[in-house]
Amino acid sequence: MSARHLSLPVPTLGWLLITQALILLPLTVQLPIWLTGLALVVMVWRLQSSRGRWPHFGRWYKVLVALAVMAGLAATFRNLAMNAMVSLLVAGFVLKLLELHKPGDVRALSYLGYFVIGTQLLYTSGFVGSVYALLCVLVMTVTLMVNHVGAVPAGQFKPIRKVFMMSAQALPIMLALFFLVPRIGSLWTVPLNSATGTTGVSSSMSPGDIASLMQSDEVALRATFEGDIPESRQLYWRALVLDHFDGRTWSQSSIQDVKARSYTRWRESDRELQVSGKRYDYEVMLEPTDENWLYTLAAPASYSEGIWLSRGMTLYQRDAVSQRQQYSVTTHVNYTNQAEGLSELLRRVSLRIPRDSNPATRTLAEQWRRQAPNDQVLIQRFLDHIQADFSYTLQPPTLGEHSVDEFLTQTKAGFCEHFSSSFVFFMRAAGIPARVVVGYQGGRINPVEGYLTVRQLDAHAWAEVWLEGQGWVRVDPTSAVSPERIDRGVQYSLDSADSELLGDAWSRRFFMLSNLQLRLDAFNYRWHRWVMNYDKAKQKAFMQKLFGSSAPWLMVLYVMAAAGIMVVLILLPNFVGKRAQRRPFVERWYEKLCRQLAVQGYPRRSGEGARDYAQRVGQEAPELAQLLAESTALFEQAVYQNEQVSHSRLRLLLHLIKSKKYR
């Protein structure tokens, strides 16, 4: 390794290392562990080498380290996804520490640091994360200031004060631009890496899938209602229709698959969906799912632009939800869907079950079918059967090949996916079209803001059956076994052992923690709703409310007026400050005297004192000797002895000296 000395001021290097640590801290959970370790080693090595305790890296050692890092990134990431690009940027940000030679290198590293700060917002855009990113920006700017001035004197923090003054001056401009400049869509939309394991309802369901999902306390969505919030038993947040069964797993058939785009879109002209009854208007803020389907209560009558409704009553859009998304929906609690009849294709799909699958259930269903006078009686008999002899648990026994047979005749204990799956299979075996619906059920009202929070632990599966003259009707077998699950929530439907498996076990155990979580969630919700989701529609409403019009020309006029006011507000303190910080009259008077003597041919020499200057000019111009002697004496009394002198006398002396040039 080279023994070459890399000269950087100690304050600059100290600020740089602190800033780099602050910037990388929130990214450590997203970066590979080895890259975080490399960052720590490089920072410690750079600090020790600046103290002369460890050697500096030579050129070839730097090349080897860079090649090793590139190989590590290639081995860690198989594609150029977002995490790979962020890791590459961070690697460059870290390794640049090894070749800091001069202040220009610090500037280059600082500019790179601003980009790394921006990557923090790819993973968290909440209020706390945004404030932390702003703090990193300020500290990075302080580092640039320190690098510019070279050092920060002990007890003085002029760079810090300067940065905060600049930020305070920029704040009004930022607010004006944010609220008034026309919105052209999000400039901060980067698809999430699909390999990051985004949790949520998936497009298939096997025994145990939803039970595993309920161990997460992550937020799935938030809903703000205009008016009353529906009762808990009406809060079925519908996502997907699963109508294909292979003997163990339920999935979407080609006519329901909104992701493969082989679906048939519901059209108003078909008149298949009729809504009535009480209307609910609400706004949903959906967390990223990396899927293109959305969530809604049944039955949606209207929704935001760019969203469509499938014939399975699934809301969907063209692109995957890669970032937090907000949309509006209007639903009616009463509806009929395809009540006039099913197409031959849809009926066939809704009755299909695997051949030779679950023979005991087939036999029992055919027997009950012959004994039941109509479909409603058969459905109620099944619900009464499971209500009498089945239990609701997050830890059901493992099921084998004929999962429905084993569940209905042996284990008789399960979760919502067990009940909905067995019910739909039984109905199909009895000749009743049926399908599984997955989504969320219930939610918790935030007492601070009054919105509804739905979490992953509220994941649920229920069933729909098609009845003559009624169309598709929701039937939830889980409510027959555990009505508390639907009426109050999953937390109240499990015993103590199962409750500990839920994702919110810790918050339920500690009341203060739960209360803090609610308040923080409410604050983040406001932040995302009014700041992060401040779109063109919200801007138009804001302008209409504030100015009475949202015309483009008026918006441009207000932007120009606001910009003018901001410029005045920024320049005014500087102007006032300069006037307030003017030097004493005597110093300004003496500068005028020196300029006047220079004009008359007697310039002051570099480093020449006031008394020496007066004596030299007096020898060269005897007519000025007495005036200069008195002027210098008064100047020294005022400046060095801090005595009061007559300003009028000083002005008179300057006037007399000026008049001598005409003689």
Side-chain angles (χ1 to χ4, degrees), residues 358-600:
N358 301 289
T361 302
R362 285 172 175 266
T363 302
L364 182 63
E366 293 170 359
Q367 176 186 346
W368 285 15
R369 170 79 278 181
R370 292 190 297 269
Q371 297 172 355
N374 54 54
D375 293 345
Q376 288 89 340
V377 172
L378 177 60
I379 294 171
Q380 189 58 48
R381 183 176 180 181
F382 183 92
L383 297 178
D384 292 340
H385 173 68
I386 62 175
Q387 182 181 25
D389 201 24
F390 284 68
S391 60
Y392 183 72
T393 177
L394 279 177
Q395 305 176 76
T398 303
L399 301 176
E401 179 183 358
H402 300 290
S403 56
V404 178
D405 282 354
E406 294 178 20
F407 173 69
L408 291 178
T409 61
Q410 299 176 26
T411 62
K412 298 183 178 182
F415 201 57
C416 61
E417 64 261 43
H418 298 84
F419 293 106
S420 59
S421 175
S422 61
F423 175 83
V424 172
F425 186 94
F426 191 97
M427 292 300 114
R428 289 187 174 190
I432 301 176
R435 59 195 187 184
V436 175
V437 183
V438 292
Y440 299 96
Q441 199 287 321
R444 184 179 182 184
I445 298 176
N446 188 297
V448 180
E449 284 292 305
Y451 62 86
L452 190 76
T453 302
V454 179
R455 300 183 180 274
Q456 298 296 347
L457 56 85
D458 295 311
H460 193 56
W462 59 95
E464 285 184 337
V465 295
W466 188 86
L467 301 177
E468 192 73 34
Q470 300 182 47
W472 289 105
V473 178
R474 181 177 66 228
V475 179
D476 191 351
T478 304
S479 65
V481 180
S482 178
E484 296 86 0
R485 166 65 184 89
I486 309 303
D487 294 334
R488 303 183 63 190
V490 66
Q491 298 91 336
Y492 301 95
S493 60
L494 302 170
D495 58 28
S496 57
D498 281 346
S499 295
E500 291 300 314
L501 298 176
L502 294 177
D504 65 343
W506 277 96
S507 61
R508 284 186 287 109
R509 190 176 302 166
F510 300 101
F511 173 77
M512 292 185 62
L513 179 61
S514 176
N515 188 51
L516 179 62
Q517 182 187 42
L518 289 173
R519 293 185 177 278
L520 182 60
D521 187 78
F523 195 88
N524 273 324
Y525 180 64
R526 287 195 296 266
W527 173 260
H528 285 288
R529 188 180 183 192
W530 300 113
V531 178
M532 303 303 295
N533 287 315
Y534 184 74
D535 54 11
K536 187 176 181 180
K538 282 188 171 60
Q539 186 185 52
K540 184 177 181 180
F542 173 77
M543 295 289 292
Q544 188 75 32
K545 183 178 180 180
L546 190 63
F547 304 116
S549 175
S550 58
W553 67 269
L554 186 62
M555 190 175 296
V556 173
L557 179 63
Y558 282 126
V559 169
M560 295 178 62
I565 294 174
M566 298 308 166
V567 170
V568 171
L569 291 177
I570 291 174
L571 296 180
L572 185 61
N574 293 335
F575 177 75
V576 174
K578 287 182 178 180
R579 290 183 61 88
Q581 297 175 6
R582 293 180 65 182
R583 290 178 301 166
F585 170 81
V586 175
E587 294 183 9
R588 290 184 279 113
W589 169 85
Y590 188 73
E591 282 190 359
K592 293 180 181 178
L593 174 63
C594 293
R595 287 197 298 268
Q596 180 59 42
L597 292 176
V599 169
Q600 294 178 216

Side-chain angles (χ1 to χ4, degrees), residues 10-20 139 142-143 146 152 160:
V10 174
T12 300
L13 182 60
W15 275 99
L16 190 60
L17 292 177
I18 292 173
T19 305
Q20 194 169 70
V139 176
V142 170
T143 302
V146 173
V152 181
I160 297 179

Side-chain angles (χ1 to χ4, degrees), residues 90 128 131 179 227 235 307 316 348 364 433 453 459 467-468 482 529-530 663:
V90 169
V128 175
V131 170
F179 285 109
L235 293 174
I307 297 176
Y316 66 95
R348 187 168 61 250
L364 182 63
T453 302
L467 301 177
E468 192 73 34
S482 178
R529 188 180 183 192
W530 300 113
R663 295 186 180 180

Side-chain angles (χ1 to χ4, degrees), residues 108-124:
L109 183 60
S110 299
Y111 299 150
L112 181 60
Y114 287 119
F115 285 97
V116 180
I117 293 171
T119 64
Q120 297 176 3
L121 301 178
L122 294 174
Y123 302 101
T124 173

Side-chain angles (χ1 to χ4, degrees), residues 85-112:
M85 295 295 97
V86 172
S87 298
L88 179 62
L89 183 64
V90 169
F93 183 54
V94 169
L95 295 181
K96 184 65 178 176
L97 273 178
L98 297 177
E99 54 174 14
L100 294 181
H101 301 282
K102 52 187 181 297
D105 296 331
V106 178
R107 286 195 297 273
L109 183 60
S110 299
Y111 299 150
L112 181 60

